[in-house]
């Protein structure tokens, strides 16, 4: 029975036509909620990329995935009726115990690459010297740290509130929505949305809670090289992908295909500046991560841009990477990248005593 499911799934993955929920509902478990079913459709459509080769592996009831030099397995879980309950892409990656091996594996993605590991000192590997990188949502580290520092300075408090209005809502947000219009939200809640959900609306609101002059002033207090005027996400997203005349479905499709950072539509930083802000982030008594884990994570992605940081508050160790190229990263490449990083984290960032 599972072989039949694999054959049906493989036929769908090889289809050149976009898959709708109605087209795959027959292979999905009835126990899945609406959100999970949509996620299945998203994964399936990402894997439909015709440049990804798919073959059934009869020995382990999996589908093997191949893209360039990257191989991955599509792990499948089913219910008692042999209907899908879970899909997981597991790239095959050798050990990335040290920074050199991690860097070498990231170079497989054929991108402009910056990789930094901060332990007792700073170790950097890059194939592009002296240039700014597009960082996508990793810019939210700068916004969040500046707001946390403004709290430390007494300029604002975590308990200060802001009333949400229609005009506050940004595009492609992942937390605050129209249901929140008219509600008051605290600075503390906005910071949690910013860091934990990478919410664009939260970022745009936080850019308004102190003046532009004060924002730069606080940023320069943290790092004297800081001179950025960070524009709202709404401004960049509207120019890049989110024409208000088009539907949100079209926005989301464009936002995973159209490379716009090469046209200047992204957030650009000198990666060295990020070191200072990450260290500052890990120094605060309270952050949105405080009750969750000693491991701080923030990532960013856009077509042609992948970035992410992980840090351990107990040890002060952190690692971050930035990848830029002129074509989108597909789902196999993204999962490969993160698997390489996770292998490195297990050996170098996480601690047995602290998770």
């Amino acid at each position: 029975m599972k072989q039949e499911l694999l054959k049906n799934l493989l036929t769908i993955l090889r289809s050149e036509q976009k898959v709708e929920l109605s087209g795959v509902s027959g292979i999905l478990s009835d126990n899945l909620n609406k959100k999970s079913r949509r996620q299945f459709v998203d994964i399936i459509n990402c894997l439909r990329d015709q440049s990804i080769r798919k073959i059934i592996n009869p020995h382990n009831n999996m589908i093997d995935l191949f893209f360039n030099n990257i191989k991955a397995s599509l792990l499948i879980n089913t219910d008692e009726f042999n209907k899908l309950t879970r899909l997981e892409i597991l790239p095959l990656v050798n050990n990335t115990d040290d920074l050199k091996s991690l860097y070498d594996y990231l170079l497989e993605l054929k991108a402009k690459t910056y990789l930094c590991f901060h332990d007792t000192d700073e170790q950097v590997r890059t194939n592009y010297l002296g240039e700014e990188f597009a960082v996508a949502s990793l810019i939210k580290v700068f916004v969040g740290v500046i707001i946390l520092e403004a709290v430390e300075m007494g300029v604002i408090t975590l308990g200060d509130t802001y009333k949400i209005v229609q005009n506050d809502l940004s595009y492609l947000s992942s937390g605050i929505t129209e249901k929140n219009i008219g509600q008051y939200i605290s600075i503390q809640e906005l910071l949690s949305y910013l860091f934990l959900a990478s919410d664009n609306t939260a970022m745009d609101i936080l850019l308004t809670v102190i003046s532009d002059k004060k924002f730069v002033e606080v940023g320069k207090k943290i790092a004297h090289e800081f001179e950025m005027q960070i524009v709202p996400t709404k401004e960049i997203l509207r120019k890049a992908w989110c024409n208000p005349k088009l539907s949100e479905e079209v926005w989301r499709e464009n936002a995973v295909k159209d490379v716009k950072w090469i046209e200047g539509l992204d957030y650009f930083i000198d990666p060295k500046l990020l070191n200072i802000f990450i260290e500052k982030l890990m120094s605060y008594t309270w952050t949105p991560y405080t009750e969750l884990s000693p491991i701080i994570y923030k990532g960013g992605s856009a077509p042609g841009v992948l970035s992410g940081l992980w840090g351990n508050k107990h040890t002060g160790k952190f690692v971050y990477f930035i990848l830029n190229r002129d074509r989108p990263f597909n789902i196999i490449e993204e999962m490969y990248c993160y698997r390489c990083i996770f292998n490195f984290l297990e050996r170098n960032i996480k601690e047995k005593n602290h998770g």
Side-chain angles (χ1 to χ4, degrees), residues 69 91 93 104 181 209 230 239 267 309:
N69 294 326
V93 178
D104 288 344
I181 293 173
V209 298
I230 300 177
K239 292 177 181 177
Y267 296 100
L309 80 87

Side-chain angles (χ1 to χ4, degrees), residues 142-174:
F142 290 86
V143 176
V145 169
I146 287 173
I147 296 302
L148 283 165
E149 189 63 18
V151 171
E152 292 281 305
M153 295 168 61
V155 177
I156 53 176
T157 74
L158 291 175
D160 289 347
T161 57
Y162 180 95
K163 186 177 181 180
I164 299 171
V165 298
Q166 177 72 49
N167 195 50
D168 290 323
L169 300 182
S170 185
Y171 301 105
L172 306 176
S173 271
S174 53

Side-chain angles (χ1 to χ4, degrees), residues 42 47 108 119 225 245 318 322 332 342:
D42 289 341
L47 287 172
E108 288 285 343
D119 189 356
E225 304 95 336
K245 295 179 181 178
F318 60 84
I322 307 168
I332 302 298
F342 291 155

Side-chain angles (χ1 to χ4, degrees), residues 33 89 107-108 122 161 168 193-194 213 245 292 320:
N33 60 33
I89 300 168
L107 290 180
E108 288 285 343
E122 177 186 323
T161 57
D168 290 323
Y193 275 117
L194 178 82
K213 181 180 178 182
K245 295 179 181 178
L292 300 176
Y320 65 90

Side-chain angles (χ1 to χ4, degrees), residues 229-258:
Q229 289 280 356
I230 300 177
V231 301
T233 64
K234 186 185 292 186
E235 184 175 325
I236 288 180
L237 295 175
R238 182 174 59 242
K239 292 177 181 177
W241 307 294
C242 300
N243 182 336
K245 295 179 181 178
L246 301 176
S247 70
E248 184 167 351
E249 182 181 357
V250 173
W251 300 345
R252 293 190 178 278
E253 187 169 347
N254 290 345
V256 296
K257 291 182 178 178
D258 295 345

Side-chain angles (χ1 to χ4, degrees), residues 106 297 299-301 306-308 310 321 333-343:
L106 292 183
Y297 163 73
S301 66
L306 274 181
S307 59
W310 292 258
F321 75 92
E333 292 176 300
E334 286 196 35
M335 298 305 295
Y336 167 86
C337 175
Y338 281 97
R339 175 53 57 186
C340 291
I341 294 287
F342 291 155
N343 285 356

Side-chain angles (χ1 to χ4, degrees), residues 51-248:
S51 63
I52 300 171
R53 192 158 57 97
K54 306 109 182 168
I55 300 174
I56 291 177
N57 187 326
H59 301 295
N60 52 21
N61 286 325
M62 285 191 277
I63 293 177
D64 289 335
L65 307 168
F66 301 88
F67 179 78
N68 292 340
N69 294 326
I70 302 172
K71 179 181 177 182
S73 296
L74 184 61
L75 307 183
I76 297 169
N77 289 348
T78 60
D79 61 16
E80 64 271 29
F81 303 107
N82 273 310
K83 291 192 173 185
L84 288 174
T85 58
R86 179 183 172 125
L87 289 178
E88 181 182 359
I89 300 168
L90 183 64
L92 303 184
V93 178
N94 291 327
N95 290 337
T96 51
D97 298 358
D98 58 87
L99 201 70
K100 181 184 183 305
S101 60
L102 174 58
Y103 178 68
D104 288 344
Y105 276 108
L106 292 183
L107 290 180
E108 288 285 343
L109 297 174
K110 305 290 190 292
K112 175 180 166 182
T113 302
Y114 193 98
L115 174 65
C116 177
F117 176 44
H118 186 94
D119 189 356
T120 54
D121 56 7
E122 177 186 323
Q123 304 174 54
V124 172
R125 290 185 179 266
T126 182
N127 55 5
Y128 281 83
L129 294 173
E131 292 188 30
E132 290 190 330
F133 281 71
V135 295
S137 281
L138 209 56
I139 195 67
K140 289 170 178 148
V141 172
F142 290 86
V143 176
V145 169
I146 287 173
I147 296 302
L148 283 165
E149 189 63 18
V151 171
E152 292 281 305
M153 295 168 61
V155 177
I156 53 176
T157 74
L158 291 175
D160 289 347
T161 57
Y162 180 95
K163 186 177 181 180
I164 299 171
V165 298
Q166 177 72 49
N167 195 50
D168 290 323
L169 300 182
S170 185
Y171 301 105
L172 306 176
S173 271
S174 53
I176 300 170
T177 65
E178 289 191 353
K179 72 179 187 300
N180 300 110
I181 293 173
Q183 297 177 0
Y184 285 87
I185 190 167
S186 69
I187 300 297
Q188 183 167 333
E189 291 172 309
L190 286 167
L191 286 166
S192 292
Y193 275 117
L194 178 82
F195 281 114
L196 303 181
S198 200
D199 186 75
N200 294 330
T201 296
M203 172 167 153
D204 290 358
I205 293 174
L206 286 169
L207 288 172
T208 70
V209 298
I210 57 178
S211 68
D212 291 345
K213 181 180 178 182
K214 178 59 71 173
F215 190 89
V216 175
E217 180 185 315
V218 176
K220 290 180 76 67
K221 176 179 179 291
I222 298 167
H224 68 272
E225 304 95 336
F226 182 87
E227 295 180 351
M228 288 185 286
Q229 289 280 356
I230 300 177
V231 301
T233 64
K234 186 185 292 186
E235 184 175 325
I236 288 180
L237 295 175
R238 182 174 59 242
K239 292 177 181 177
W241 307 294
C242 300
N243 182 336
K245 295 179 181 178
L246 301 176
S247 70
E248 184 167 351

